[in-house]
Amino acid sequence: MQAQAATLDVEHLMKVFDRQVVVRDVSFSLQGGELLTLLGPSGSGKTTTMRMIAGFEEPTGGDVRVAGESIVDLPVHKRDIGVVFQQYALFPHLSVFRNLAYPLEMRGLRKAEIANRVERALAMVRLEGFAGRLPKELSGGQQQRVALARAIVFEPRLLLMDEPMGALDKRLRELMQIEIRQLQQQLGITTVSVTHDQIEALVMSDLIAVLDGGVLQQLGPPLEVYQKPVNRFVADFLGESNLIDVAACQPRTEGLLCRSSRGLETLAAPLRPGEEAASWLVVRPENIQIGDAAAELPNHCRAGIREVLYVGDLLKYRVETETGEQFSIKALASAGQPWRVGDTSLIGWRTEHCLPIRS
Ligand code: ADP
Ligand code: MG
């Protein structure tokens, strides 16, 4: 089984329901074989975006191109897109074999070819020998794998998955994330996936598109979106962050010198090209050092330890600076003697780990 690695271009996509804009000017492009995750809270427009790509919903504006050609005027069954949507469940009264054969019968394939393709698709999701079962005779994870096999059995140009693991428990979900990602890469199929789970987005994607209120907040590779959030929403939604408000700032050669309303001074990374001011500085908890070595860093101050939590291999501290700023800090538990509540220590961070962002 080999995918055709089509490019996907979503251009200025827009959807209005009852005069409410639920998807506003969303654009992104995928190279053949890439996986993009739409990440956002409930109601942010993820499913509506997917339904417009799949053809279940007509866009109010914008275009969707596969391999360069617009598909918005094509009916669902002519779009050549495999979907794993929650409301697109397996046929309960049909065997696994018949569920997988269905899209192939629709396309008029011969019996022998159908049997051959169903067998290969089941092998890809490691369900050889389950062809005769009914969906209810399978576990949740197995049903999800059948749904995936059904979505790829006709070798579509595009795969769409809307919260494919939403119904599974955490452990199974983590296994499936890796399994689906491997299969997607092995097939080389261009894929758009939806989740509200930030870890899932970070683990699975070539690109993450963060949506809020129908607006694309940021688009980029996982590490970039995590390390360089452009605004407060993205910084808060993807990972944990410490936010420092900016009362004043001045560009200096060594960085952006900022002061918070409480009077904490810190050197931050320069503003992005085109940005004129920052509302906040964001520092990830793992980028704050604690202990005497922090004296070496361009930004450091004294802080009191207010809370210590062991989280397996991590130690989480909540600290308060002399100016009254509260920070959360993550350190490896193996990094030595932990600090205790009531202790005072130096804390510090690098200029490049302190990013100016919009509100
Ligand atoms: P998500 O998948 O991110 O949770 P949706 O795309 O399902 O978000 O919904 C986005 C917004 O559009 C929500 O406010 C939802 O209520 C609204 N919406 C979705 N489908 C319809 C519809 N058929 N009619 C009216 N409003 C809708
Ligand atoms: Mg949804």
Side-chain angles (χ1 to χ4, degrees), residues 17-18 20 22-23 40-49 51 57 162-163 194 211:
F17 284 122
D18 317 320
Q20 190 203 350
V22 301
V23 175
S42 175
S44 57
K46 305 181 299 292
T47 294
T48 305
T49 301
R51 287 173 57 81
E57 204 75 70
D162 192 349
E163 313 236 7
V194 160
L211 277 183

Side-chain angles (χ1 to χ4, degrees), residues 142-169:
Q142 289 168 335
Q143 288 182 25
Q144 216 41 36
R145 276 152 51 200
V146 174
L148 181 63
R150 186 180 62 179
I152 58 172
V153 71
F154 59 97
E155 300 180 5
R157 294 192 296 176
L158 208 62
L159 174 64
L160 304 179
M161 299 186 287
D162 192 349
E163 313 236 7
M165 292 162 270
L168 307 179
D169 65 43

Side-chain angles (χ1 to χ4, degrees), residues 36-230:
L36 173 137
T37 299
L38 291 173
L39 174 70
S42 175
S44 57
K46 305 181 299 292
T47 294
T48 305
T49 301
M50 295 292 258
R51 287 173 57 81
M52 289 191 281
I53 301 172
F56 300 119
E57 204 75 70
E58 196 185 332
T60 311
D63 202 358
V64 180
R65 295 170 185 277
V66 178
E69 284 183 32
S70 176
I71 58 165
V72 286
D73 294 326
L74 294 178
V76 172
H77 66 277
K78 292 239 172 93
R79 293 194 180 197
D80 200 14
I81 295 177
V83 298
V84 185
F85 285 1
Q86 242 143 53
Q87 73 277 22
Y88 219 65
L90 299 173
F91 302 117
H93 57 289
L94 296 183
S95 68
V96 167
F97 181 91
R98 296 291 316 284
N99 263 282
L100 263 65
Y102 183 79
L104 300 174
E105 287 162 1
M106 295 264 295
R107 286 167 175 78
L109 268 69
R110 290 166 179 279
K111 269 208 157 114
E113 176 67 12
I114 290 176
N116 193 331
R117 287 216 199 177
V118 170
E119 191 182 331
R120 273 186 293 158
L122 283 178
M124 299 217 69
V125 297
R126 298 187 297 106
L127 284 176
E128 303 99 327
F130 287 77
R133 300 253 190 122
L134 286 173
K136 67 173 184 213
E137 294 166 336
L138 301 172
S139 70
Q142 289 168 335
Q143 288 182 25
Q144 216 41 36
R145 276 152 51 200
V146 174
L148 181 63
R150 186 180 62 179
I152 58 172
V153 71
F154 59 97
E155 300 180 5
R157 294 192 296 176
L158 208 62
L159 174 64
L160 304 179
M161 299 186 287
D162 192 349
E163 313 236 7
M165 292 162 270
L168 307 179
D169 65 43
K170 186 166 174 288
R171 220 188 103 64
L172 189 55
R173 222 165 52 217
E174 288 169 358
L175 286 174
M176 289 284 294
Q177 283 163 8
I178 295 166
E179 203 170 298
I180 292 181
R181 175 61 164 159
Q182 281 175 347
L183 181 61
Q184 181 268 332
Q185 287 182 317
Q186 198 180 329
L187 286 170
I189 187 167
T190 312
T191 301
V192 183
S193 181
V194 160
T195 188
H196 58 265
D197 177 342
Q198 39 149 328
I199 304 294
E200 188 172 309
L202 290 169
V203 167
M204 290 188 67
S205 323
D206 294 302
L207 286 170
I208 296 179
V210 185
L211 277 183
D212 186 40
V215 176
L216 185 58
Q217 305 288 324
Q218 191 166 359
L219 173 67
L223 212 57
E224 183 184 305
V225 178
Y226 180 80
Q227 289 179 339
K228 298 189 171 156
V230 294

